[in-house]
Amino acid sequence: MTAIRLELHPLIGQEQLTGHTRQELLSRPFDHLIDPVDLEKTRYHFEETVKGNAQSYEIGLIHKNGQRIETSVINVPILLEDKVVGVYGITSDVTAAKRYVEEIENLSYERALILNGMSEGVIGLDLDGNVNFANPAAAEMMNICPNEMNGQSLEKMMIQMQSEGIPYPGKGTPMLQAVRDGRALPRTESVFWRQDGSSFLAEFQLKPIMDQGQTRGAVLVFRDMTSVKEIIRAKEAAEHADRAKSEFLAVMSHELRTPLNGIMGMAHLLMDTELDEEQRGFAEIMVASGESLLCILNEILDFSKIEAGKMDLDYGPLDIRDTLNCVIELFSVKAAEKNIELYSEVAGEIPKCVCGDETRIRQILINLVGNAVKFTEQGSITVSVETVDSSEYGPDHLMLSFNVKDTGIGIALDKQHQLFQSFSQLDPSINRKFGGTGLGLAISKKLVELMGGAIGVQSEIGKGAAFQFTLVLEKWRGAGVTAEEEEIAATRAVLDHSHLAQDIRILIAEDQAVNSHLLEEMLRKFGGVCDIVENGAQAVELLAKRSYDLIFMDIQMPVMDGIEATCEIRKKHPEIPVIAAITAFAGERDREACLQCGMQDFISKPFHSAEIIRVLHTWVPYIQTKRLI
């Protein structure tokens, strides 16, 4: 049998549902979470989905504490070029709904309160199909006042029809027939029509109410599935549109390449003939224009491959110094023509060889250095590679930071978020002067992310730009550096920062548990001990009871956001604690708002150890000085 693999989705909350950590869920097949009695059933529906058929079914999951959880599962095949490449699953906890169905015959006042708080609709019926109980959720979905439902016929208030909107033939609906016959109906879907003529897709379950062996009625539990179906349809439509776009780009780039190669080939042949000076100049313009257009087509093809998920990485031995020298040599003539200094620096502790995709890393560097040369008229361009603390990835890996810094025209802060967007040009006048498709940086970003890294920029108008991307690469066990020497270097790198946050009282205010845990682990490696809160209001309350030296404050949080919380804190604590904002993107207005409320630093998501080290190096001495005053 094929093992069932679990792919986490941000909306599913599998960690909370099963009690297992993300690492535990990803490290093993999904089979061990399924109740053995439902394993064959699950495999059957999973294999049917792999064949291209969407499935809806119920199974029991085993929580980490051993408890069985009743769940409703929807599996949808993910198609790419008419092939199933994965399965998209939505898992809902229906334990409560099942429990209420089983206990409805023993309903009490306390249970009624619980039923009133349920998001599913619950309706009690007598043997004639009349309503004798309806919870608020049922009344809301039916758009009827709860008091008006009691004693009324369910068939008049809620008409069940087939999925095509066609009434059921014969006497009554299958649901009412089951009520009269004292039969249960398993969880299924149907279209429910309200009195006002509107309808919704419902998932429902019917179970008889028994009293001493006699059927007294039935209980109907249902929920509105319209939004779930809309999400699935929107997802499938987006996937289809994305595939169509990628296929169009790939086809067009290939179709244009054929005549372009002919034009360039003939131009090269023409240059080999006897030409006067003017004719040779025309031919050189043709060749240069063709090469420029070919570069654009290559970018479009690369972009379409990445978008279609067809970009494959080729990992092998990579000499960082040789790769950097090749890139520098490629642009040295152009830089010399503009009288620009172009040089590279590689940290001495970087081994001769690492394991990486040399072609793609060179492509990223060419894009970044090419832009630096293009937008720099005077001064210098520095390309450097240095190590960043990578202890969290183990001794066999290195985190490398690649930096391209220039003294060019710079980029406005409010325009920087457009840099890595596809086909984006910051200013039409820049495009006319310098040219380009706006794809180079978008491709670079996608390549970096494909290799598991992150890319960013720091720049100001007239003060140049500094592009940085980080990659975690495996060490290459080959000639040049021994494993022992690599281990010593890795240990030394860790020890350099191991006590950086020692004795610093740190508070993390972040509503996303994964982010707060990641930040806590990073700080723990530097000797830091942290407290964690989920919103700004909790941070303000905790600061009234305890003192902290440093707060990492998320900008967007429920209850009270980071800006409002900082304003409250600064009323009583004007300088300490130091507050560093955590933000996905900080535009100029966002930064001004942060500074005005009293924040002193920023780190961007996704954050890395290098950013945390920078914040600690910047503010720990300041904190220690304030303690002495």
Side-chain angles (χ1 to χ4, degrees):
M1 283 292 182
T2 303
I4 303 171
R5 285 283 177 182
L6 173 65
E7 181 175 349
L8 291 178
H9 186 281
L11 298 177
I12 296 177
Q14 295 284 6
E15 293 169 277
Q16 182 179 359
L17 183 65
T18 65
H20 289 273
T21 66
R22 181 182 181 88
Q23 290 74 20
E24 290 171 340
L25 291 170
L26 291 175
S27 62
R28 300 176 59 188
F30 196 35
D31 305 47
H32 74 286
L33 299 177
I34 302 169
D35 192 322
V37 300
D38 293 328
L39 189 56
E40 289 301 320
K41 175 182 178 181
T42 305
R43 286 173 173 166
Y44 168 78
H45 288 290
F46 185 83
E47 290 170 0
E48 285 296 308
T49 310
V50 172
K51 294 176 183 178
N53 305 313
Q55 301 289 304
S56 176
Y57 55 97
E58 289 186 9
I59 59 171
L61 298 183
I62 302 300
H63 194 274
K64 191 173 183 179
N65 61 16
Q67 180 183 358
R68 175 183 167 98
I69 307 165
E70 303 294 340
T71 63
S72 173
V73 181
I74 297 174
N75 283 349
V76 180
I78 301 174
L79 302 176
L80 181 62
E81 296 182 347
D82 298 327
K83 293 182 180 179
V84 178
V85 298
V87 174
Y88 181 87
I90 300 176
T91 307
S92 302
D93 186 347
V94 297
T95 306
K98 279 203 166 187
R99 186 175 68 248
Y100 298 140
V101 170
E102 293 169 356
E103 296 181 354
I104 191 67
E105 59 186 307
N106 299 317
L107 189 63
S108 64
Y109 175 73
E110 291 78 12
R111 290 194 177 96
L113 292 177
I114 297 174
L115 286 171
N116 289 342
M118 289 179 60
S119 59
E120 292 90 353
V122 181
I123 294 178
L125 302 168
D126 62 20
L127 288 174
D128 295 324
N130 297 321
V131 177
N132 53 35
F133 171 82
N135 72 341
E140 182 179 356
M141 280 185 271
M142 296 308 305
N143 198 22
I144 301 176
C145 178
N147 295 332
E148 295 177 1
M149 297 182 68
N150 292 336
Q152 299 294 318
S153 170
L154 179 65
E155 194 169 21
K156 292 182 180 180
M157 292 184 297
M158 184 172 67
I159 303 173
Q160 181 190 10
M161 291 193 180
Q162 301 178 58
S163 58
E164 298 83 2
I166 303 172
Y168 281 97
K171 299 180 180 180
T173 66
M175 185 166 56
L176 288 180
Q177 288 291 340
V179 172
R180 297 186 183 109
D181 297 341
R183 291 183 290 107
L185 291 179
R187 189 175 297 272
T188 187
E189 292 181 0
S190 183
V191 178
F192 285 359
W193 290 78
R194 305 181 182 92
Q195 286 181 324
D196 60 6
S198 62
S199 65
F200 64 96
L201 178 64
E203 182 187 74
F204 73 94
Q205 180 181 4
L206 185 77
K207 185 177 180 180
I209 298 176
M210 307 298 294
D211 182 15
Q212 298 180 352
Q214 297 294 320
T215 303
R216 299 297 185 186
V219 60
L220 172 67
V221 179
F222 64 99
R223 61 172 176 158
D224 189 345
M225 292 289 293
T226 307
S227 59
V228 175
K229 294 295 183 181
E230 287 176 350
I231 291 171
I232 295 174
R233 284 194 293 267
K235 173 183 173 293
E236 292 173 345
E239 290 175 343
H240 178 75
D242 189 58
R243 287 195 301 269
K245 179 191 69 175
S246 299
E247 290 169 2
F248 172 78
L249 289 174
V251 170
M252 289 304 298
S253 63
H254 282 295
E255 291 297 324
L256 290 172
R257 187 186 301 272
T258 301
L260 178 60
N261 285 339
I263 294 170
M264 293 181 64
M266 294 305 295
H268 280 291
L269 290 176
L270 181 62
M271 291 181 65
D272 292 336
T273 64
E274 294 183 5
L275 302 173
D276 59 33
E277 186 176 346
E278 183 180 25
Q279 291 170 333
R280 184 165 296 278
F282 292 159
E284 289 175 352
I285 292 174
M286 291 172 60
V287 171
S289 299
E291 289 175 347
S292 177
L293 184 55
L294 185 60
C295 180
I296 293 172
L297 288 177
N298 287 336
E299 287 186 341
I300 293 175
L301 183 58
D302 279 345
F303 182 77
S304 64
K305 283 182 178 179
I306 295 171
E307 290 287 285
K310 296 180 179 179
M311 176 65 75
D312 296 322
L313 298 176
D314 183 17
Y315 286 98
L318 166 65
D319 189 322
I320 296 294
R321 292 169 179 82
D322 283 351
T323 302
L324 213 57
N325 289 336
C326 289
V327 174
I328 295 297
E329 185 178 351
L330 184 64
F331 292 98
S332 59
V333 175
K334 184 65 175 178
E337 290 176 356
K338 301 179 73 172
N339 198 27
I340 299 170
E341 293 184 20
L342 174 60
Y343 54 93
S344 63
E345 300 173 349
V346 179
E349 67 269 18
I350 296 178
K352 178 175 176 57
C353 278
V354 293
C355 185
D357 189 327
E358 181 179 2
T359 300
R360 295 307 170 190
I361 292 176
R362 183 189 293 112
Q363 182 179 354
I364 297 165
L365 288 169
I366 288 173
N367 276 330
L368 297 181
V369 177
N371 280 346
V373 173
K374 182 193 299 185
F375 295 111
T376 302
E377 298 299 329
Q378 59 182 0
S380 63
I381 299 170
T382 305
V383 187
S384 62
V385 186
E386 58 188 9
T387 58
V388 182
D389 177 61
S390 56
S391 56
E392 60 189 285
Y393 300 101
D396 295 329
H397 291 78
L398 284 172
M399 178 180 281
L400 299 182
S401 174
F402 296 78
N403 303 274
V404 179
K405 187 175 182 180
D406 64 60
T407 57
I409 61 176
I411 307 156
L413 192 61
D414 61 349
K415 299 287 187 181
Q416 291 176 16
H417 68 283
Q418 301 178 29
L419 280 173
F420 301 101
Q421 295 178 7
S422 309
F423 305 101
S424 176
Q425 293 287 355
L426 301 188
D427 192 315
S429 62
I430 293 178
N431 185 33
R432 287 192 297 271
K433 180 177 180 181
F434 296 100
T437 61
L439 274 178
L441 289 178
I443 291 173
S444 296
K445 180 177 185 292
K446 290 182 179 294
L447 287 175
V448 168
E449 292 174 348
L450 191 61
M451 290 186 280
I455 189 170
V457 63
Q458 291 183 340
S459 181
E460 293 183 37
I461 287 291
K463 295 185 179 181
F467 284 84
Q468 178 196 57
F469 68 94
T470 56
L471 296 175
V472 177
L473 301 176
E474 188 176 355
K475 296 177 182 178
W476 184 263
R477 299 293 185 180
V481 179
T482 66
E484 183 179 357
E485 290 171 332
E486 290 181 346
E487 188 69 27
I488 292 172
T491 303
R492 186 180 296 116
V494 174
L495 291 175
D496 287 343
H497 306 296
S498 60
H499 301 292
L500 190 57
Q502 191 170 2
D503 298 326
I504 301 298
R505 295 160 297 195
I506 302 173
L507 177 64
I508 299 172
E510 165 66 70
D511 62 312
Q512 295 293 328
V514 174
N515 287 336
S516 59
H517 178 68
L518 173 61
L519 186 54
E520 181 185 23
E521 285 298 308
M522 288 181 175
L523 290 164
R524 184 178 61 81
K525 293 179 184 299
F526 306 137
V529 177
C530 310
D531 290 330
I532 299 173
V533 294
E534 297 179 353
N535 57 63
Q538 292 178 357
V540 173
E541 291 174 6
L542 194 57
L543 202 62
K545 302 174 184 177
R546 307 177 190 173
S547 61
Y548 290 94
D549 301 311
L550 176 62
I551 300 178
F552 288 92
M553 182 81 73
D554 189 23
I555 296 297
Q556 295 183 338
M557 292 183 290
V559 184
M560 180 184 290
D561 62 32
I563 299 292
E564 186 179 353
T566 302
C567 290
E568 289 296 318
I569 291 171
R570 287 297 178 232
K571 291 178 181 179
K572 297 183 179 179
H573 309 278
E575 295 181 338
I576 298 292
V578 171
I579 301 178
I582 305 175
T583 176
F585 171 76
E588 189 171 359
R589 292 182 180 177
D590 299 318
R591 288 179 178 268
E592 288 179 358
C594 291
L595 292 173
Q596 288 176 359
C597 73
M599 291 184 174
Q600 294 135 301
D601 210 325
F602 308 87
I603 61 172
S604 299
K605 296 178 182 178
F607 42 79
H608 294 280
S609 296
E611 274 291 277
I612 308 303
I613 291 172
R614 180 192 61 77
V615 172
L616 294 175
H617 271 304
T618 301
W619 295 105
V620 167
Y622 172 81
I623 292 168
Q624 292 172 340
T625 302
K626 287 293 181 181
R627 284 181 177 177
L628 297 174
I629 298 176

